[in-house]
Amino acid sequence: MPYKVTLIPGDGIGPEVADATVRAVDATGVAIEWERVELTSKIIEAAGTPVPQHVLDSLDRTRLGLKGPVTTPVAGGFSSVNVALRKKLDLFANVRPVHTLPGLKTRFDDLKIDMILFRENTEDVYSGLEHEVVKDVVESLKIITRTASIKIAEYAFDYAQRMGRKKVVAVHKANIMKLSDGLFLRCCREVAERYPWISYKELIVDNASMQLVMRPETFDVLILPNLYGDILSDLAAGLVGGLGIVPGANMGRDHAVFEAVHGSAPDIAGKGLANPTALMMSAGMMLTHLGEHDAAKRLHDAIGKVYLDGKPLTGDVGGNANTTQFTDAVIAAMK
Ligand code: NAI
């Protein structure tokens, strides 16, 4: 029986990296029936809701998604489909592994960077609760709950325990947001106490940003509320070669949706220049989630071989290949 997976190519570079990823996953030999669901900013505008019913119906059938990015209008327009999807399906943990790719030249390629970010995915200032109190005065609510904070902390510590990770850092701004980030931090501490053999520290988000740039190799597991997790994910991606190569997963109790950290990259969309590595590696995480460990390893090893060879790579990581040439090389490396 093939696995059923909802494929949401998205828009911008989404369809390009999604097609490349489907080719690479199919080349692993794992039988997947892709249920392709279109979701673009145009479709959302027409439907009048960020997550149209056909997308939810498909994810309810498959419980598993591979998703490309979807453009969200800035300072107005419809609210983010990503935020809505994560809330609707309670995809509470956004898991983002960031590590050095051997062979890839970066500013930090003499260091071994290997960290994993666990970003709370359903609340914080992403609750979309904003209103104009009076003209020119706007209020935006930051929601932090014990339930969601405990869930992300438990998820991160459980992962650290299973994967033999040694150090967890909780990132916060509880010196200023004493109640909201204070609650987040108390929940992290409470969970940390159950794992006395794992080192637990706390860093204020501004200091964490500096430490990440100065000493990225010292980070292991990070737990972050939604906003800091979003920002520091991109910072962390910048340490290892950029958004083109960092994967991610949105995990819930009943559903999982795998997607790269990057957005729809309108500046390069439709030109065949996009790097599909991040979505391919997200698909690798999906294969692992399915228990297809050999296939996941074959896919990761093939990607790793192309980077070690140093060609053909896409422009964002210093090469001059297009999406298809890179994908062909990954598939060839699997054979
Ligand atoms: P972005 O991640 O789309 O692009 C930032 C920079 O990284 C650009 O220069 C882009 O060309 C480059 N880049 C990103 N992915 C790349 C790849 N795979 N290969 C090569 N270069 C790549 O971030 P930006 O420009 O801030 O956002 C664009 C749109 O994407 C916005 O509407 C935003 O809301 C949306 N977005 C959607 C996400 C999602 O659907 N999960 C996540 C993040 C942003």
Side-chain angles (χ1 to χ4, degrees):
M1 275 282 277
Y3 297 105
K4 285 192 173 65
V5 177
T6 299
L7 176 70
I8 307 171
D11 59 17
I13 58 168
E16 298 164 63
V17 293
D19 289 349
T21 300
V22 166
R23 285 184 59 209
V25 172
D26 287 348
T28 66
V30 174
I32 293 187
E33 197 180 305
W34 301 99
E35 197 168 300
R36 193 179 167 111
V37 173
E38 300 303 334
L39 182 63
T40 64
S41 47
K42 282 207 179 86
I43 291 174
I44 294 166
E45 263 160 20
T49 162
V51 194
Q53 196 55 40
H54 70 284
V55 178
L56 291 174
D57 288 346
S58 175
L59 283 166
D60 267 337
R61 271 192 299 276
T62 62
R63 313 244 149 189
L64 200 59
L66 182 69
K67 179 182 164 299
V70 180
T71 307
T72 310
V74 173
F78 60 83
S79 53
S80 163
V81 52
N82 303 306
V83 172
L85 197 60
R86 292 162 189 172
K87 279 204 276 191
K88 268 245 167 356
L89 301 180
D90 194 22
L91 302 169
F92 63 89
N94 191 190
V95 183
R96 295 174 154 180
V98 176
H99 53 80
T100 313
L101 268 180
L104 179 61
K105 278 229 106 10
T106 71
R107 284 162 187 267
F108 298 92
D109 54 11
D110 51 333
L111 300 176
K112 186 172 182 309
I113 297 172
D114 180 15
M115 66 181 89
I116 178 154
L117 287 82
F118 290 86
R119 165 190 174 198
E120 200 293 316
N121 221 8
T122 59
E123 52 183 32
D124 196 351
V125 286
Y126 288 63
S127 305
L129 298 172
E130 292 188 316
H131 63 272
E132 192 169 35
V133 185
V134 290
K135 190 174 175 322
D136 291 341
V137 180
V138 165
E139 187 174 45
S140 179
L141 299 183
K142 169 165 168 135
I143 307 294
I144 300 285
T145 64
R146 177 176 160 80
T147 306
S149 305
I150 289 278
K151 263 159 86 174
I152 189 66
E154 282 178 341
Y155 198 90
F157 271 97
D158 176 61
Y159 176 93
Q161 160 83 354
R162 279 186 291 113
M163 304 309 284
R165 296 270 181 167
K166 305 269 184 286
K167 292 188 288 183
V168 174
V169 169
V171 178
H172 67 95
K173 190 78 187 172
N175 49 332
I176 305 299
M177 281 163 277
K178 294 177 194 290
L179 285 185
S180 52
D181 280 15
L183 173 58
F184 182 80
L185 215 47
R186 280 202 304 283
C187 293
C188 291
R189 284 177 196 162
E190 186 179 318
V191 176
E193 277 170 18
R194 295 182 221 153
Y195 297 84
W197 53 91
I198 297 177
S199 144
Y200 171 71
K201 290 206 170 70
E202 296 163 356
L203 282 177
I204 297 176
V205 63
D206 30 358
N207 179 24
S209 311
M210 188 270 289
Q211 302 279 351
L212 274 165
V213 175
M214 296 289 289
R215 284 178 277 282
E217 75 282 9
T218 62
F219 284 83
D220 190 354
V221 172
L222 294 93
I223 313 177
L224 313 101
N226 208 337
L227 178 65
Y228 314 145
D230 194 2
I231 297 170
L232 292 192
S233 296
D234 276 36
L235 186 154
L239 302 170
V240 295
L243 286 166
I245 63 166
V246 177
N250 299 289
M251 306 299 293
R253 295 269 175 251
D254 300 325
H255 298 81
V257 176
F258 296 80
E259 68 177 332
V261 174
H262 66 72
S264 57
D267 52 338
I268 56 165
K271 298 180 181 161
L273 300 174
N275 187 348
T277 304
L279 193 61
M280 284 183 186
M281 297 213 302
S282 307
M285 292 171 77
M286 181 182 83
L287 291 172
T288 303
H289 172 76
L290 287 170
E292 296 287 349
H293 298 283
D294 287 351
K297 184 168 180 330
R298 274 203 306 285
L299 179 57
H300 284 297
D301 287 353
I303 295 169
K305 180 176 183 308
V306 177
Y307 277 90
L308 260 185
D309 290 349
K311 64 178 179 358
L313 299 179
T314 48
D316 58 309
V317 285
N320 51 21
N322 61 32
T323 312
T324 307
Q325 289 163 331
F326 173 80
T327 306
D328 290 345
V330 170
I331 292 168
M334 244 184 285
K335 287 189 179 138

